[in-house]
Amino acid sequence: LFENPLGKLAMDSVAALPVYRAKDGNDTKANDTTFAAVDERFAADRWVVIFPEGHSHSEPSLQKVKTGAARMTLAAEAERNFEMGLRILPVGLVYEDKERFRSRVSVVAGPPIDVAEFREMYQSDDWEAAKALTSRIGASIADVMLEADTSEVWEGFMAVARWTSPEAVADVAACERRAKRLAEAYESLDTEDAEAFAEEARHFVQMLAAIGVDNPFDLERPAPPTLMRVARNAAWYAFLGPIAVLGLLLNAVPYYGIAPLAAKVAGEDTDIISSVKALAGLLFYPLTWLIEAALTTWWFNAWVGLLVLALGPLTGIAA
C-alpha cells in the first residue's frame, strides 16, 4: 500500500506508518525508522494505533500477538525514566459483514494497561518484560472480543444473538455482547453436550436456509404501517426518486464493477475485500465522472460537461 501512489495517498491521509515484515521479503531493519516515528508521536502526546497480531485475517479467534507494541512502549518509557505515563488500551473489533464496505462494526475497549507496571522487570531483563507485556496485551484483547473454535460456531453465536434480541438486530455492539455471553455459556458445557448442541444448531440453520428464513422470530406478521408513515415515505421517495435514477445511470459502472474486481484481486484473502473496494472507489468513481464529463462536453458543450461532473457524486449519494 505504501509502494503505489493511490495506496500511499490513502495511508498518508490517516498518518499511517509502514511495518516491514520478513515474510514479505523486506529488510526488517527498516522498522527502526518506524519505531523512531512512533517514539516521536509518543513524545508529542499522540495516539498510536496498532493491530498487534501483525496481519489481517478471518479467523474466529485471536492470533498470536507480536511483541512490537510492547517493545515500542517499553523503550519509549525507559528512554524517559518511565515518567511518560503511557498506557495501552485493548480494543476488540467485530464486523457485521467485513466483506461489505461500510458495514457496521462493534468497537469494545477494555481497561487500559499501565506500561510503568513493567518498569522493574524491564530494568532487569528487557526481553522478559516485553514478553510479559505482550502476554498481558493478548489476554486483555481476548477479554473484549468474541472468540470461537471455528468460523461456523462464531457465526452461530452472532446469529442466535440476533434471533433472540431485537436490540441485537439494531445494534451490532449489543449483538456482540449477547453473543459473548452465549459463547461463555457454551464453553461451560462438556465436550459431548457441546458437540450435540452444535449439531442440532447446524441442522436448524440448514432447515431455515432451505425455506428462505433468516430469523425464525420474524415469522410473525408485523403490524401494518400507519397512514402517516406511508405518506411520509411516499413523499420522500417521490422527491429522491428521479435524482436517484440519474445517480444510478451516472454511477452504475463503478458501483457494480468494483465488487467483482475486488473479489478477484483479493482472491482467498477475503479479509481485504473491503480495503480493495475502498481504494478502487477512490480511483474509479472520479475517473468515471471525468469520462462522462468529457463525453458530454464533446456531445454538447463545456457547461453541460461541468454540470455532469458535479451531478455524478451528488446524485450518487441520493441513489
Side-chain angles (χ1 to χ4, degrees):
L1 291 174
F2 285 91
E3 292 173 357
N4 70 78
L6 185 63
K8 191 173 188 312
L9 179 67
M11 295 299 97
D12 289 345
S13 72
V14 292
L17 295 169
V19 176
Y20 301 92
R21 305 183 300 186
K23 72 176 187 177
D24 297 325
N26 295 319
D27 181 1
T28 57
K29 289 182 180 178
N31 284 319
D32 291 345
T33 305
T34 299
F35 274 46
V38 168
D39 188 73
E40 288 176 9
R41 296 188 187 193
F42 286 152
D45 199 27
R46 293 176 63 187
W47 286 86
V48 174
V49 179
I50 185 169
F51 292 82
E53 293 165 290
H55 65 107
S56 60
H57 62 85
S58 295
E59 297 301 319
S61 58
L62 185 70
Q63 302 299 287
K64 182 180 179 181
V65 174
K66 303 295 192 295
T67 59
R71 288 188 289 131
M72 285 188 288
T73 50
L74 285 167
E77 280 285 12
E79 185 74 20
R80 299 163 182 85
N81 200 31
F82 282 86
E83 294 178 354
M84 292 184 72
L86 277 180
R87 295 191 296 174
I88 297 171
L89 187 71
V91 177
L93 301 176
V94 171
Y95 289 88
E96 185 177 51
D97 183 356
K98 68 190 306 182
E99 294 182 22
R100 183 166 57 87
F101 184 48
R102 295 185 66 197
S103 69
R104 298 184 302 175
V105 59
S106 167
V107 184
V108 182
I113 303 167
D114 189 348
V115 179
E117 291 179 19
F118 296 82
R119 176 176 184 170
E120 290 184 12
M121 186 182 295
Y122 185 86
Q123 290 171 338
S124 61
D125 190 328
D126 58 352
W127 179 240
E128 285 301 317
K131 288 198 298 183
L133 179 52
T134 299
S135 178
R136 176 87 166 272
I137 291 170
S140 297
I141 295 175
D143 284 342
V144 294
M145 65 178 289
L146 174 65
E147 292 190 280
D149 295 333
T150 67
S151 296
E152 183 185 45
V153 173
W154 190 95
E155 291 167 1
F157 290 140
M158 294 291 284
V160 174
R162 288 191 294 269
W163 291 346
T164 56
S165 169
E167 183 188 8
V169 174
D171 183 356
V172 68
C175 182
E176 188 204 3
R177 288 194 298 271
R178 189 170 184 83
K180 203 169 190 317
R181 291 198 296 272
L182 289 167
E184 290 167 357
Y186 180 78
E187 286 296 322
S188 69
L189 298 173
D190 63 42
T191 303
E192 188 175 335
D193 288 341
E195 288 177 355
F197 180 75
E199 187 61 26
E200 285 187 33
R202 190 176 296 111
H203 285 310
F204 183 59
V205 171
Q206 290 170 348
M207 181 182 69
L208 291 176
I211 60 173
V213 174
D214 291 326
N215 187 338
F217 292 88
D218 284 343
L219 293 175
E220 188 175 330
R221 183 179 295 276
T226 63
L227 182 61
M228 181 62 72
R229 182 180 175 188
V230 170
R232 186 173 62 247
N233 285 352
W236 182 241
Y237 281 110
F239 170 70
L240 273 185
I243 305 173
V245 169
L246 180 59
L248 178 62
L249 293 173
L250 292 176
N251 294 278
V253 172
Y255 184 81
Y256 291 108
I258 286 174
L261 174 67
K264 186 173 182 61
V265 171
E268 295 181 358
D269 298 325
T270 56
D271 51 287
I272 67 167
I273 284 180
S274 292
S275 301
V276 176
K277 285 181 180 178
L279 292 172
L282 288 174
L283 173 64
F284 289 115
Y285 273 101
L287 186 60
T288 300
W289 301 328
L290 287 170
I291 291 172
E292 290 168 345
L295 289 174
T296 49
T297 297
W298 179 57
W299 281 328
F300 301 102
N301 56 58
W303 291 109
V304 177
L306 286 173
L307 179 62
V308 169
L309 188 61
L311 288 175
L314 294 176
T315 59
I317 292 170

